[in-house]
């Protein structure tokens, strides 16, 4: 398996634009996580899916953020409208179960100008 | 809230010496602890874990110690090598809790 695949690797956009980050988890994994990494807060859990169903989205900063998982092999994290403070590296991870070892993608570095 | 804390943002160690990275947690329900390693421009990768029924787990140069009464765990790397230079994240989870990560400690091993 190629591991968790995220796209794009880098995204530069202007404030107010919509941004969509994509993730393909490892085949057979039932849990998918979206994280945001910043210098100040380290790795923050944004949302967690189990069997394609959002279980915990308490980490999503505000209504501008939304995530979907239409099937077991694809998830998106959308920011609309984007703001400069959203600039960070966003990671997707998948695991067999919630408490199991998580395998991370290479991340998407988002810069909102 | 920061349920998992890594109070040292950085650590510098001489090659060949021991590196000790520390982690504290506040949620007594956590029963599974992990360390992840992250190189620049890559995602974190799993390094070593420990269950709460143990107080030590060793894998080659890496050993994780767990002190449940103090809600503290540490990662020992000995001997340290320049290739160990990375950011190390501590993580904790339980049946009723999502996995929570610390803010990370940047380890630099000097040749």
């Amino acid at each position: 398996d190629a591991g968790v695949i995220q796209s794009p690797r880098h995204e530069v956009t202007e404030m107010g634009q919509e941004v969509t980050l994509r993730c393909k988890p490892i085949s057979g994994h039932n849990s998918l996580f979206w994280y945001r990494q910043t210098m100040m807060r380290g790795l923050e859990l944004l949302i967690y899916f189990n069997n394609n169903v959002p279980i915990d989205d308490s980490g999503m900063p505000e209504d501008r953020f939304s995530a979907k998982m239409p099937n077991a092999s694809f998830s998106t994290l959308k920011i609309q409208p984007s703001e400069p403070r959203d600039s960070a590296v966003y990671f997707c991870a998948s695991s067999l179960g919630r408490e199991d070892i998580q395998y991370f993608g290479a991340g998407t570095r988002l810069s909102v100008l | 809230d920061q349920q998992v804390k890594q109070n040292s943002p950085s650590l510098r160690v001489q090659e060949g010496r021991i590196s000790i990275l520390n982690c504290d947690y506040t949620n007594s329900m956590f029963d599974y602890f992990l360390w992840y390693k992250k190189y620049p421009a890559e995602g974190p990768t799993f390094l070593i874990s420990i269950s709460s029924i143990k107080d030590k787990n060793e894998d080659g140069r890496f050993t994780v110690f767990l002190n449940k009464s103090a809600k503290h765990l540490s990662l020992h790397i000995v001997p340290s090598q320049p290739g160990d230079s990375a950011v190390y994240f501590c993580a904790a989870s339980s049946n009723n809790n999502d996995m929570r990560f610390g803010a990370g400690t940047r380890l630099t091993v000097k040749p």
Side-chain angles (χ1 to χ4, degrees):
Chain A
D1 198 312
V4 175
I5 300 174
Q6 288 187 249
S7 64
R9 287 298 309 273
H10 303 276
E11 177 79 33
V12 181
T13 190
E14 292 185 345
M15 181 174 63
Q17 297 298 306
E18 177 181 298
V19 174
T20 299
L21 312 181
R22 297 173 175 77
C23 175
K24 182 180 186 307
I26 292 173
S27 176
H29 282 188
N30 297 321
S31 297
L32 183 141
F33 307 81
W34 281 100
Y35 291 91
R36 177 170 66 177
Q37 183 189 14
T38 62
M39 290 292 291
M40 293 299 295
R41 301 174 68 91
L43 271 175
E44 297 177 90
L45 176 65
L46 299 177
I47 188 169
Y48 148 64
F49 291 87
N50 189 53
N51 292 322
N52 312 339
V53 176
I55 302 299
D56 181 3
D57 65 354
S58 59
M60 297 285 261
E62 45 196 277
D63 292 344
R64 297 185 296 107
F65 286 69
S66 62
K68 294 183 179 180
M69 192 165 185
N71 56 63
S73 60
F74 184 65
S75 176
T76 59
L77 177 68
K78 186 177 292 186
I79 308 172
Q80 165 68 17
S82 58
E83 297 181 2
R85 61 192 168 119
D86 301 330
S87 298
V89 181
Y90 291 81
F91 288 103
C92 174
S94 71
S95 65
L96 286 172
R98 186 172 71 174
E99 303 88 34
D100 293 314
I101 294 168
Q102 296 181 18
Y103 295 83
F104 284 77
T108 295
R109 180 174 294 277
L110 173 65
S111 298
V112 183
L113 306 178
Chain B
D1 64 10
Q2 287 285 90
Q3 297 186 45
V4 178
K5 298 178 182 179
Q6 293 177 256
N7 292 321
S8 298
S10 64
L11 175 68
R12 294 175 68 88
V13 172
Q14 195 72 36
E15 180 180 6
R17 306 296 289 270
I18 184 171
S19 295
I20 300 177
L21 297 101
N22 293 305
C23 177
D24 298 290
Y25 61 95
T26 57
N27 190 336
S28 58
M29 298 300 292
F30 287 141
D31 58 8
Y32 186 52
F33 305 89
L34 309 89
W35 285 94
Y36 284 79
K37 178 179 179 180
K38 183 186 177 304
Y39 291 118
E42 295 182 11
T45 56
F46 169 74
L47 183 59
I48 192 170
S49 65
I50 187 167
S51 164
S52 61
I53 62 173
K54 293 186 172 182
D55 54 18
K56 176 182 175 181
N57 187 28
E58 190 172 351
D59 182 3
R61 297 184 297 111
F62 302 90
T63 303
V64 56
F65 294 92
L66 176 62
N67 182 334
K68 290 187 292 293
S69 61
K71 296 191 181 68
H72 176 84
L73 65 156
S74 61
L75 174 68
H76 292 210
I77 307 172
V78 56
S80 302
Q81 300 173 352
D84 297 329
S85 297
V87 177
Y88 290 79
F89 290 98
C90 170
S93 72
S94 73
N95 282 337
N96 297 318
N97 290 279
D98 300 323
M99 191 171 294
R100 298 293 178 181
F101 285 80
T105 297
R106 180 178 300 279
L107 173 66
T108 303
V109 180
K110 301 170 288 184

